[in-house]
Amino acid sequence: MGRVAYVNGRYVPHGSASVHIEDRGYQFADGVYEVIAIQDGRLIDEEPHLDRLGRSLDALAIRWPMSRAALRHVLREVIRRNRLSGRRCGPGAAYLQVTRGIAARNHAFPASADPVLVMTARAMPPFDPEAARRGVSVITLPDERWRRPDIKSISLLPNVLAKQTAVEAGAYEAWLVDDAGQVTEGTASNAWIVTADGELVTREADRSILSGITRATVMRLAREHGLRIGERRFAVAEAKAAAEAFVTGTTSWVKPVVRIDDVPVGGGRIGPLSDRLLAWYAGYVETGGRGAA
Ligand code: PLP
């Protein structure tokens, strides 16, 4: 049996799932999304993801397409129909997208349109600790996004272009840099450094970055283990001279960064704090996080 998608009230074969050509997501990127990790049938950090979905919808004045309880039910059904709901099903990721709806093309909000909800789920490769510990490289690029990256909008063209530049440069991620030379975040992850005296630093979650759910979980795990965290800006030069660096994200987990623009970080090897954070986060996910079954 193949994959199944949910499209506005119907479960349909993934290969033939489609939306209307005048869906405002298609014409204006007028919508929001979430990606939630699945482990052994559990949705990792489901509630914070749904809280953030609510904040994104509110910010754009898009209605919830259904009640939160109904949405949680559909999520479970999509996971079940894609055979990711039981133990030993392996890891996966659920994608959900809400657009403002279908209406004749006109920039202003339509007088009446119902939000359109789409959900998919897919299997992900199992976590490979050895590969993760080898670390990744990042390049730095100007942050050319709009001024509200805190809203998880489906308007991702600058992220797409920056990620493509990173891939073509052989890098895992691009770190985006604001006009003052300070790192904001990655194209699909939050950026962190570790200072020489062991402080974890990541940009404050103001309007200039997405307030990552993995970022918040890693912050909590780090604090529980007595690590110090500074939520502040850091420049590219500070990152290149840092003791360690890493990224966090739903599909990245914790990924040590060992090279920034061809400058080795921490001697080009995973550092001790990144290593511990990676292990704590892997343990958190593998025990189901705070997700409900
Ligand atoms: N920043 C951006 C721009 C993202 O797109 C993402 C995730 O896709 C993140 C950060 C990490 O957020 P989360 O940990 O909630 O996946």
Side-chain angles (χ1 to χ4, degrees):
M1 231 179 55
R3 292 176 63 196
V4 173
Y6 174 88
V7 185
N8 234 13
R10 297 175 58 218
Y11 297 93
V12 290
H14 188 273
S16 56
S18 60
V19 293
H20 196 280
I21 57 166
E22 287 198 303
D23 186 297
R24 287 179 63 94
Y26 182 57
Q27 291 188 326
F28 295 113
D30 187 358
V32 301
Y33 75 107
E34 281 294 329
V35 180
I36 310 178
I38 305 161
Q39 181 74 37
D40 297 324
R42 287 168 181 270
L43 288 152
I44 304 299
D45 287 337
E46 177 183 18
E47 296 309 322
H49 277 284
L50 295 185
D51 290 346
R52 186 173 65 187
L53 175 69
R55 290 196 300 277
S56 298
L57 290 169
D58 277 356
L60 300 183
I62 298 175
R63 279 186 287 116
W64 279 80
M66 56 179 62
S67 72
R68 181 166 170 143
L71 199 137
R72 292 173 86 248
H73 170 78
V74 175
L75 256 176
R76 276 157 189 69
E77 194 56 24
V78 169
I79 290 169
R80 191 185 69 73
R81 289 181 188 235
N82 286 283
R83 295 170 308 284
L84 289 163
S85 64
R87 289 215 150 262
R88 294 190 303 279
C89 277
Y95 176 83
L96 68 95
Q97 173 179 301
V98 183
T99 64
R100 194 179 304 279
I102 299 159
R105 189 177 184 282
N106 178 8
H107 287 60
F109 295 175
S112 71
D114 292 323
V116 171
L117 173 63
V118 168
M119 275 192 218
T120 57
R122 67 182 162 122
M124 298 286 283
F127 176 60
D128 176 348
E130 279 322 300
R133 295 184 75 259
R134 279 197 286 278
V136 295
S137 57
V138 302
I139 59 168
T140 59
L141 291 172
D143 191 339
E144 294 178 337
R145 299 174 301 166
W146 71 327
R147 295 193 186 164
R148 294 301 307 276
D150 58 311
I151 301 170
K152 202 163 168 62
S153 142
I154 58 172
S155 173
L156 290 170
L157 194 50
N159 306 55
V160 166
L161 296 178
K163 181 75 171 206
Q164 181 61 20
T165 303
V167 167
E168 286 172 11
Y172 173 74
E173 178 62 298
W175 276 10
L176 306 175
V177 181
D178 68 16
D179 290 346
Q182 313 283 318
V183 174
T184 53
E185 60 182 331
T187 65
S189 59
N190 288 112
W192 298 68
I193 57 169
V194 182
T195 63
D197 66 353
E199 186 185 36
L200 307 181
V201 179
T202 191
R203 190 172 173 120
E204 66 271 25
D206 56 14
R207 286 188 168 188
S208 66
I209 65 164
L210 184 74
S211 184
I213 305 303
T214 320
R215 174 186 179 278
T217 295
V218 164
M219 222 172 243
R220 196 174 64 243
L221 292 171
R223 288 206 173 103
E224 281 168 11
H225 287 87
L227 301 185
R228 273 182 307 123
I229 294 170
E231 282 188 82
R232 64 163 171 86
R233 291 165 191 222
F234 57 92
V236 173
E238 185 181 358
K240 288 181 178 170
E244 303 180 34
F246 59 93
V247 300
T248 56
T250 295
T251 51
S252 293
W253 290 25
V254 175
K255 270 218 167 31
V257 170
V258 294
R259 189 169 283 270
I260 303 174
D261 289 337
D262 287 336
V263 175
V265 176
R269 318 186 79 134
I270 179 175
L273 292 189
S274 308
D275 203 1
R276 290 169 70 195
L277 286 165
L278 177 59
W280 294 332
Y281 190 73
Y284 175 79
V285 171
E286 276 154 14
T287 54
R290 292 191 172 176

PDB file of all heavy atoms in Angstrom, residues 33-64:
ATOM      1  N   TYR A  33       2.937  26.468   7.867  1.00  0.00           N
ATOM      2  CA  TYR A  33       3.146  25.018   7.929  1.00  0.00           C
ATOM      3  C   TYR A  33       3.852  24.634   9.218  1.00  0.00           C
ATOM      4  O   TYR A  33       4.361  25.492   9.945  1.00  0.00           O
ATOM      5  CB  TYR A  33       3.948  24.536   6.716  1.00  0.00           C
ATOM      6  CG  TYR A  33       5.428  24.870   6.763  1.00  0.00           C
ATOM      7  CD1 TYR A  33       6.373  23.877   7.006  1.00  0.00           C
ATOM      8  CD2 TYR A  33       5.872  26.172   6.583  1.00  0.00           C
ATOM      9  CE1 TYR A  33       7.735  24.179   7.059  1.00  0.00           C
ATOM     10  CE2 TYR A  33       7.227  26.475   6.623  1.00  0.00           C
ATOM     11  CZ  TYR A  33       8.153  25.475   6.858  1.00  0.00           C
ATOM     12  OH  TYR A  33       9.487  25.772   6.925  1.00  0.00           O
ATOM     13  N   GLU A  34       3.887  23.334   9.460  1.00  0.00           N
ATOM     14  CA  GLU A  34       4.657  22.752  10.552  1.00  0.00           C
ATOM     15  C   GLU A  34       5.228  21.426  10.079  1.00  0.00           C
ATOM     16  O   GLU A  34       4.624  20.745   9.233  1.00  0.00           O
ATOM     17  CB  GLU A  34       3.787  22.499  11.801  1.00  0.00           C
ATOM     18  CG  GLU A  34       3.517  23.728  12.645  1.00  0.00           C
ATOM     19  CD  GLU A  34       4.755  24.322  13.309  1.00  0.00           C
ATOM     20  OE1 GLU A  34       5.692  23.580  13.641  1.00  0.00           O
ATOM     21  OE2 GLU A  34       4.782  25.551  13.470  1.00  0.00           O
ATOM     22  N   VAL A  35       6.363  21.060  10.615  1.00  0.00           N
ATOM     23  CA  VAL A  35       6.935  19.727  10.415  1.00  0.00           C
ATOM     24  C   VAL A  35       7.166  19.145  11.804  1.00  0.00           C
ATOM     25  O   VAL A  35       7.807  19.792  12.642  1.00  0.00           O
ATOM     26  CB  VAL A  35       8.270  19.784   9.640  1.00  0.00           C
ATOM     27  CG1 VAL A  35       8.839  18.375   9.446  1.00  0.00           C
ATOM     28  CG2 VAL A  35       8.093  20.472   8.291  1.00  0.00           C
ATOM     29  N   ILE A  36       6.620  17.960  12.034  1.00  0.00           N
ATOM     30  CA  ILE A  36       6.734  17.338  13.362  1.00  0.00           C
ATOM     31  C   ILE A  36       7.392  15.968  13.205  1.00  0.00           C
ATOM     32  O   ILE A  36       6.973  15.168  12.358  1.00  0.00           O
ATOM     33  CB  ILE A  36       5.341  17.179  14.028  1.00  0.00           C
ATOM     34  CG1 ILE A  36       4.556  18.497  13.980  1.00  0.00           C
ATOM     35  CG2 ILE A  36       5.481  16.669  15.466  1.00  0.00           C
ATOM     36  CD1 ILE A  36       3.150  18.421  14.584  1.00  0.00           C
ATOM     37  N   ALA A  37       8.414  15.715  14.008  1.00  0.00           N
ATOM     38  CA  ALA A  37       9.101  14.419  13.932  1.00  0.00           C
ATOM     39  C   ALA A  37       8.238  13.325  14.560  1.00  0.00           C
ATOM     40  O   ALA A  37       7.489  13.575  15.516  1.00  0.00           O
ATOM     41  CB  ALA A  37      10.450  14.502  14.640  1.00  0.00           C
ATOM     42  N   ILE A  38       8.353  12.129  13.998  1.00  0.00           N
ATOM     43  CA  ILE A  38       7.621  10.963  14.514  1.00  0.00           C
ATOM     44  C   ILE A  38       8.659   9.926  14.935  1.00  0.00           C
ATOM     45  O   ILE A  38       9.601   9.661  14.182  1.00  0.00           O
ATOM     46  CB  ILE A  38       6.732  10.344  13.418  1.00  0.00           C
ATOM     47  CG1 ILE A  38       5.790  11.384  12.808  1.00  0.00           C
ATOM     48  CG2 ILE A  38       5.956   9.133  13.952  1.00  0.00           C
ATOM     49  CD1 ILE A  38       5.235  10.965  11.438  1.00  0.00           C
ATOM     50  N   GLN A  39       8.499   9.382  16.110  1.00  0.00           N
ATOM     51  CA  GLN A  39       9.390   8.303  16.550  1.00  0.00           C
ATOM     52  C   GLN A  39       8.542   7.250  17.239  1.00  0.00           C
ATOM     53  O   GLN A  39       7.826   7.565  18.188  1.00  0.00           O
ATOM     54  CB  GLN A  39      10.451   8.863  17.515  1.00  0.00           C
ATOM     55  CG  GLN A  39      11.456   7.853  18.017  1.00  0.00           C
ATOM     56  CD  GLN A  39      12.490   7.467  16.955  1.00  0.00           C
ATOM     57  OE1 GLN A  39      12.908   8.315  16.166  1.00  0.00           O
ATOM     58  NE2 GLN A  39      12.855   6.205  16.915  1.00  0.00           N
ATOM     59  N   ASP A  40       8.621   6.022  16.750  1.00  0.00           N
ATOM     60  CA  ASP A  40       7.831   4.924  17.335  1.00  0.00           C
ATOM     61  C   ASP A  40       6.361   5.315  17.478  1.00  0.00           C
ATOM     62  O   ASP A  40       5.729   5.036  18.494  1.00  0.00           O
ATOM     63  CB  ASP A  40       8.400   4.518  18.701  1.00  0.00           C
ATOM     64  CG  ASP A  40       9.808   3.967  18.581  1.00  0.00           C
ATOM     65  OD1 ASP A  40      10.086   3.281  17.590  1.00  0.00           O
ATOM     66  OD2 ASP A  40      10.633   4.236  19.482  1.00  0.00           O
ATOM     67  N   GLY A  41       5.848   5.988  16.492  1.00  0.00           N
ATOM     68  CA  GLY A  41       4.430   6.347  16.488  1.00  0.00           C
ATOM     69  C   GLY A  41       4.086   7.560  17.328  1.00  0.00           C
ATOM     70  O   GLY A  41       2.928   7.960  17.399  1.00  0.00           O
ATOM     71  N   ARG A  42       5.082   8.179  17.955  1.00  0.00           N
ATOM     72  CA  ARG A  42       4.806   9.372  18.762  1.00  0.00           C
ATOM     73  C   ARG A  42       5.207  10.627  17.999  1.00  0.00           C
ATOM     74  O   ARG A  42       6.215  10.632  17.298  1.00  0.00           O
ATOM     75  CB  ARG A  42       5.606   9.337  20.066  1.00  0.00           C
ATOM     76  CG  ARG A  42       5.076   8.326  21.048  1.00  0.00           C
ATOM     77  CD  ARG A  42       6.094   8.150  22.169  1.00  0.00           C
ATOM     78  NE  ARG A  42       5.630   7.166  23.125  1.00  0.00           N
ATOM     79  CZ  ARG A  42       4.902   7.450  24.193  1.00  0.00           C
ATOM     80  NH1 ARG A  42       4.568   8.695  24.469  1.00  0.00           N
ATOM     81  NH2 ARG A  42       4.504   6.499  25.011  1.00  0.00           N
ATOM     82  N   LEU A  43       4.428  11.676  18.198  1.00  0.00           N
ATOM     83  CA  LEU A  43       4.740  12.970  17.589  1.00  0.00           C
ATOM     84  C   LEU A  43       5.588  13.746  18.593  1.00  0.00           C
ATOM     85  O   LEU A  43       5.118  14.090  19.681  1.00  0.00           O
ATOM     86  CB  LEU A  43       3.439  13.719  17.301  1.00  0.00           C
ATOM     87  CG  LEU A  43       2.640  13.127  16.144  1.00  0.00           C
ATOM     88  CD1 LEU A  43       1.155  13.398  16.304  1.00  0.00           C
ATOM     89  CD2 LEU A  43       3.147  13.694  14.824  1.00  0.00           C
ATOM     90  N   ILE A  44       6.827  13.997  18.216  1.00  0.00           N
ATOM     91  CA  ILE A  44       7.754  14.627  19.160  1.00  0.00           C
ATOM     92  C   ILE A  44       7.412  16.115  19.307  1.00  0.00           C
ATOM     93  O   ILE A  44       7.376  16.849  18.322  1.00  0.00           O
ATOM     94  CB  ILE A  44       9.221  14.455  18.679  1.00  0.00           C
ATOM     95  CG1 ILE A  44       9.541  12.973  18.472  1.00  0.00           C
ATOM     96  CG2 ILE A  44      10.193  15.124  19.634  1.00  0.00           C
ATOM     97  CD1 ILE A  44       9.416  12.103  19.699  1.00  0.00           C
ATOM     98  N   ASP A  45       7.189  16.524  20.548  1.00  0.00           N
ATOM     99  CA  ASP A  45       6.885  17.938  20.846  1.00  0.00           C
ATOM    100  C   ASP A  45       5.649  18.432  20.084  1.00  0.00           C
ATOM    101  O   ASP A  45       5.616  19.561  19.567  1.00  0.00           O
ATOM    102  CB  ASP A  45       8.096  18.845  20.548  1.00  0.00           C
ATOM    103  CG  ASP A  45       9.209  18.678  21.582  1.00  0.00           C
ATOM    104  OD1 ASP A  45       8.904  18.245  22.716  1.00  0.00           O
ATOM    105  OD2 ASP A  45      10.360  18.991  21.256  1.00  0.00           O
ATOM    106  N   GLU A  46       4.638  17.570  20.019  1.00  0.00           N
ATOM    107  CA  GLU A  46       3.433  17.927  19.257  1.00  0.00           C
ATOM    108  C   GLU A  46       2.792  19.226  19.753  1.00  0.00           C
ATOM    109  O   GLU A  46       2.423  20.099  18.961  1.00  0.00           O
ATOM    110  CB  GLU A  46       2.415  16.784  19.369  1.00  0.00           C
ATOM    111  CG  GLU A  46       1.112  17.100  18.664  1.00  0.00           C
ATOM    112  CD  GLU A  46       0.073  16.001  18.839  1.00  0.00           C
ATOM    113  OE1 GLU A  46       0.227  15.172  19.764  1.00  0.00           O
ATOM    114  OE2 GLU A  46      -0.897  15.977  18.069  1.00  0.00           O
ATOM    115  N   GLU A  47       2.647  19.346  21.075  1.00  0.00           N
ATOM    116  CA  GLU A  47       1.906  20.518  21.585  1.00  0.00           C
ATOM    117  C   GLU A  47       2.609  21.837  21.266  1.00  0.00           C
ATOM    118  O   GLU A  47       1.969  22.776  20.783  1.00  0.00           O
ATOM    119  CB  GLU A  47       1.593  20.367  23.078  1.00  0.00           C
ATOM    120  CG  GLU A  47       0.659  19.180  23.395  1.00  0.00           C
ATOM    121  CD  GLU A  47      -0.625  19.148  22.534  1.00  0.00           C
ATOM    122  OE1 GLU A  47      -1.186  20.227  22.257  1.00  0.00           O
ATOM    123  OE2 GLU A  47      -1.033  18.048  22.118  1.00  0.00           O
ATOM    124  N   PRO A  48       3.934  21.938  21.507  1.00  0.00           N
ATOM    125  CA  PRO A  48       4.599  23.189  21.100  1.00  0.00           C
ATOM    126  C   PRO A  48       4.486  23.464  19.605  1.00  0.00           C
ATOM    127  O   PRO A  48       4.375  24.619  19.182  1.00  0.00           O
ATOM    128  CB  PRO A  48       6.063  22.990  21.512  1.00  0.00           C
ATOM    129  CG  PRO A  48       6.082  21.855  22.460  1.00  0.00           C
ATOM    130  CD  PRO A  48       4.831  21.054  22.280  1.00  0.00           C
ATOM    131  N   HIS A  49       4.511  22.406  18.784  1.00  0.00           N
ATOM    132  CA  HIS A  49       4.347  22.621  17.342  1.00  0.00           C
ATOM    133  C   HIS A  49       2.955  23.184  17.050  1.00  0.00           C
ATOM    134  O   HIS A  49       2.801  24.096  16.231  1.00  0.00           O
ATOM    135  CB  HIS A  49       4.565  21.320  16.570  1.00  0.00           C
ATOM    136  CG  HIS A  49       6.010  21.010  16.295  1.00  0.00           C
ATOM    137  ND1 HIS A  49       6.742  21.648  15.319  1.00  0.00           N
ATOM    138  CD2 HIS A  49       6.873  20.142  16.891  1.00  0.00           C
ATOM    139  CE1 HIS A  49       7.983  21.177  15.308  1.00  0.00           C
ATOM    140  NE2 HIS A  49       8.091  20.260  16.255  1.00  0.00           N
ATOM    141  N   LEU A  50       1.941  22.637  17.721  1.00  0.00           N
ATOM    142  CA  LEU A  50       0.577  23.141  17.454  1.00  0.00           C
ATOM    143  C   LEU A  50       0.395  24.548  18.032  1.00  0.00           C
ATOM    144  O   LEU A  50      -0.330  25.366  17.457  1.00  0.00           O
ATOM    145  CB  LEU A  50      -0.471  22.159  17.999  1.00  0.00           C
ATOM    146  CG  LEU A  50      -0.491  20.788  17.299  1.00  0.00           C
ATOM    147  CD1 LEU A  50      -1.640  19.930  17.828  1.00  0.00           C
ATOM    148  CD2 LEU A  50      -0.601  20.920  15.781  1.00  0.00           C
ATOM    149  N   ASP A  51       1.068  24.820  19.153  1.00  0.00           N
ATOM    150  CA  ASP A  51       1.026  26.194  19.694  1.00  0.00           C
ATOM    151  C   ASP A  51       1.603  27.170  18.664  1.00  0.00           C
ATOM    152  O   ASP A  51       1.052  28.247  18.424  1.00  0.00           O
ATOM    153  CB  ASP A  51       1.864  26.310  20.978  1.00  0.00           C
ATOM    154  CG  ASP A  51       1.227  25.574  22.152  1.00  0.00           C
ATOM    155  OD1 ASP A  51       0.038  25.204  22.068  1.00  0.00           O
ATOM    156  OD2 ASP A  51       1.948  25.336  23.158  1.00  0.00           O
ATOM    157  N   ARG A  52       2.741  26.766  18.074  1.00  0.00           N
ATOM    158  CA  ARG A  52       3.379  27.667  17.096  1.00  0.00           C
ATOM    159  C   ARG A  52       2.521  27.804  15.847  1.00  0.00           C
ATOM    160  O   ARG A  52       2.435  28.893  15.265  1.00  0.00           O
ATOM    161  CB  ARG A  52       4.783  27.155  16.739  1.00  0.00           C
ATOM    162  CG  ARG A  52       5.548  28.131  15.840  1.00  0.00           C
ATOM    163  CD  ARG A  52       6.984  27.720  15.632  1.00  0.00           C
ATOM    164  NE  ARG A  52       7.090  26.466  14.901  1.00  0.00           N
ATOM    165  CZ  ARG A  52       8.231  25.812  14.693  1.00  0.00           C
ATOM    166  NH1 ARG A  52       9.373  26.284  15.173  1.00  0.00           N
ATOM    167  NH2 ARG A  52       8.249  24.676  14.021  1.00  0.00           N
ATOM    168  N   LEU A  53       1.874  26.704  15.439  1.00  0.00           N
ATOM    169  CA  LEU A  53       0.948  26.795  14.300  1.00  0.00           C
ATOM    170  C   LEU A  53      -0.112  27.855  14.602  1.00  0.00           C
ATOM    171  O   LEU A  53      -0.427  28.691  13.754  1.00  0.00           O
ATOM    172  CB  LEU A  53       0.288  25.433  14.044  1.00  0.00           C
ATOM    173  CG  LEU A  53      -0.783  25.428  12.948  1.00  0.00           C
ATOM    174  CD1 LEU A  53      -0.154  25.657  11.571  1.00  0.00           C
ATOM    175  CD2 LEU A  53      -1.568  24.113  12.954  1.00  0.00           C
ATOM    176  N   GLY A  54      -0.637  27.836  15.816  1.00  0.00           N
ATOM    177  CA  GLY A  54      -1.655  28.812  16.216  1.00  0.00           C
ATOM    178  C   GLY A  54      -1.111  30.239  16.140  1.00  0.00           C
ATOM    179  O   GLY A  54      -1.794  31.145  15.659  1.00  0.00           O
ATOM    180  N   ARG A  55       0.142  30.432  16.575  1.00  0.00           N
ATOM    181  CA  ARG A  55       0.728  31.780  16.518  1.00  0.00           C
ATOM    182  C   ARG A  55       0.905  32.230  15.065  1.00  0.00           C
ATOM    183  O   ARG A  55       0.651  33.391  14.725  1.00  0.00           O
ATOM    184  CB  ARG A  55       2.086  31.805  17.242  1.00  0.00           C
ATOM    185  CG  ARG A  55       1.985  31.666  18.750  1.00  0.00           C
ATOM    186  CD  ARG A  55       3.274  32.092  19.446  1.00  0.00           C
ATOM    187  NE  ARG A  55       4.446  31.311  19.062  1.00  0.00           N
ATOM    188  CZ  ARG A  55       4.785  30.136  19.587  1.00  0.00           C
ATOM    189  NH1 ARG A  55       4.029  29.569  20.509  1.00  0.00           N
ATOM    190  NH2 ARG A  55       5.894  29.508  19.196  1.00  0.00           N
ATOM    191  N   SER A  56       1.348  31.302  14.198  1.00  0.00           N
ATOM    192  CA  SER A  56       1.532  31.664  12.776  1.00  0.00           C
ATOM    193  C   SER A  56       0.191  32.016  12.143  1.00  0.00           C
ATOM    194  O   SER A  56       0.078  33.002  11.398  1.00  0.00           O
ATOM    195  CB  SER A  56       2.173  30.500  12.010  1.00  0.00           C
ATOM    196  OG  SER A  56       3.450  30.195  12.506  1.00  0.00           O
ATOM    197  N   LEU A  57      -0.829  31.203  12.427  1.00  0.00           N
ATOM    198  CA  LEU A  57      -2.168  31.471  11.867  1.00  0.00           C
ATOM    199  C   LEU A  57      -2.675  32.828  12.346  1.00  0.00           C
ATOM    200  O   LEU A  57      -3.162  33.641  11.546  1.00  0.00           O
ATOM    201  CB  LEU A  57      -3.144  30.356  12.274  1.00  0.00           C
ATOM    202  CG  LEU A  57      -2.930  28.984  11.621  1.00  0.00           C
ATOM    203  CD1 LEU A  57      -3.793  27.932  12.312  1.00  0.00           C
ATOM    204  CD2 LEU A  57      -3.237  29.023  10.127  1.00  0.00           C
ATOM    205  N   ASP A  58      -2.544  33.076  13.648  1.00  0.00           N
ATOM    206  CA  ASP A  58      -3.001  34.358  14.213  1.00  0.00           C
ATOM    207  C   ASP A  58      -2.305  35.532  13.539  1.00  0.00           C
ATOM    208  O   ASP A  58      -2.936  36.544  13.216  1.00  0.00           O
ATOM    209  CB  ASP A  58      -2.671  34.427  15.709  1.00  0.00           C
ATOM    210  CG  ASP A  58      -3.717  33.714  16.529  1.00  0.00           C
ATOM    211  OD1 ASP A  58      -4.719  33.250  15.943  1.00  0.00           O
ATOM    212  OD2 ASP A  58      -3.520  33.600  17.759  1.00  0.00           O
ATOM    213  N   ALA A  59      -0.973  35.388  13.355  1.00  0.00           N
ATOM    214  CA  ALA A  59      -0.192  36.500  12.807  1.00  0.00           C
ATOM    215  C   ALA A  59      -0.664  36.862  11.405  1.00  0.00           C
ATOM    216  O   ALA A  59      -0.527  37.999  10.971  1.00  0.00           O
ATOM    217  CB  ALA A  59       1.291  36.142  12.791  1.00  0.00           C
ATOM    218  N   LEU A  60      -1.195  35.869  10.676  1.00  0.00           N
ATOM    219  CA  LEU A  60      -1.630  36.123   9.294  1.00  0.00           C
ATOM    220  C   LEU A  60      -3.156  36.208   9.185  1.00  0.00           C
ATOM    221  O   LEU A  60      -3.695  36.291   8.080  1.00  0.00           O
ATOM    222  CB  LEU A  60      -1.104  35.014   8.369  1.00  0.00           C
ATOM    223  CG  LEU A  60       0.431  34.875   8.314  1.00  0.00           C
ATOM    224  CD1 LEU A  60       0.834  33.801   7.305  1.00  0.00           C
ATOM    225  CD2 LEU A  60       1.100  36.193   7.940  1.00  0.00           C
ATOM    226  N   ALA A  61      -3.831  36.172  10.328  1.00  0.00           N
ATOM    227  CA  ALA A  61      -5.305  36.227  10.345  1.00  0.00           C
ATOM    228  C   ALA A  61      -5.919  35.127   9.474  1.00  0.00           C
ATOM    229  O   ALA A  61      -6.842  35.370   8.697  1.00  0.00           O
ATOM    230  CB  ALA A  61      -5.807  37.612   9.936  1.00  0.00           C
ATOM    231  N   ILE A  62      -5.349  33.926   9.582  1.00  0.00           N
ATOM    232  CA  ILE A  62      -5.947  32.751   8.935  1.00  0.00           C
ATOM    233  C   ILE A  62      -6.637  31.945  10.036  1.00  0.00           C
ATOM    234  O   ILE A  62      -6.060  31.750  11.119  1.00  0.00           O
ATOM    235  CB  ILE A  62      -4.871  31.882   8.233  1.00  0.00           C
ATOM    236  CG1 ILE A  62      -4.183  32.685   7.129  1.00  0.00           C
ATOM    237  CG2 ILE A  62      -5.489  30.598   7.661  1.00  0.00           C
ATOM    238  CD1 ILE A  62      -3.022  31.963   6.442  1.00  0.00           C
ATOM    239  N   ARG A  63      -7.845  31.491   9.753  1.00  0.00           N
ATOM    240  CA  ARG A  63      -8.575  30.701  10.761  1.00  0.00           C
ATOM    241  C   ARG A  63      -7.991  29.298  10.891  1.00  0.00           C
ATOM    242  O   ARG A  63      -7.466  28.758   9.899  1.00  0.00           O
ATOM    243  CB  ARG A  63     -10.051  30.568  10.353  1.00  0.00           C
ATOM    244  CG  ARG A  63     -10.902  31.772  10.691  1.00  0.00           C
ATOM    245  CD  ARG A  63     -12.370  31.493  10.395  1.00  0.00           C
ATOM    246  NE  ARG A  63     -12.667  31.479   8.959  1.00  0.00           N
ATOM    247  CZ  ARG A  63     -13.084  30.419   8.285  1.00  0.00           C
ATOM    248  NH1 ARG A  63     -13.268  29.247   8.874  1.00  0.00           N
ATOM    249  NH2 ARG A  63     -13.339  30.494   6.983  1.00  0.00           N
ATOM    250  N   TRP A  64      -8.134  28.680  12.068  1.00  0.00           N
ATOM    251  CA  TRP A  64      -7.836  27.251  12.195  1.00  0.00           C
ATOM    252  C   TRP A  64      -8.785  26.521  11.226  1.00  0.00           C
ATOM    253  O   TRP A  64      -9.980  26.831  11.184  1.00  0.00           O
ATOM    254  CB  TRP A  64      -8.102  26.744  13.616  1.00  0.00           C
ATOM    255  CG  TRP A  64      -7.004  27.019  14.593  1.00  0.00           C
ATOM    256  CD1 TRP A  64      -6.771  28.189  15.236  1.00  0.00           C
ATOM    257  CD2 TRP A  64      -5.984  26.100  15.034  1.00  0.00           C
ATOM    258  NE1 TRP A  64      -5.665  28.070  16.050  1.00  0.00           N
ATOM    259  CE2 TRP A  64      -5.162  26.789  15.947  1.00  0.00           C
ATOM    260  CE3 TRP A  64      -5.687  24.768  14.738  1.00  0.00           C
ATOM    261  CZ2 TRP A  64      -4.070  26.197  16.581  1.00  0.00           C
ATOM    262  CZ3 TRP A  64      -4.600  24.178  15.374  1.00  0.00           C
ATOM    263  CH2 TRP A  64      -3.795  24.888  16.272  1.00  0.00           C
TER     264      TRP A  64
END
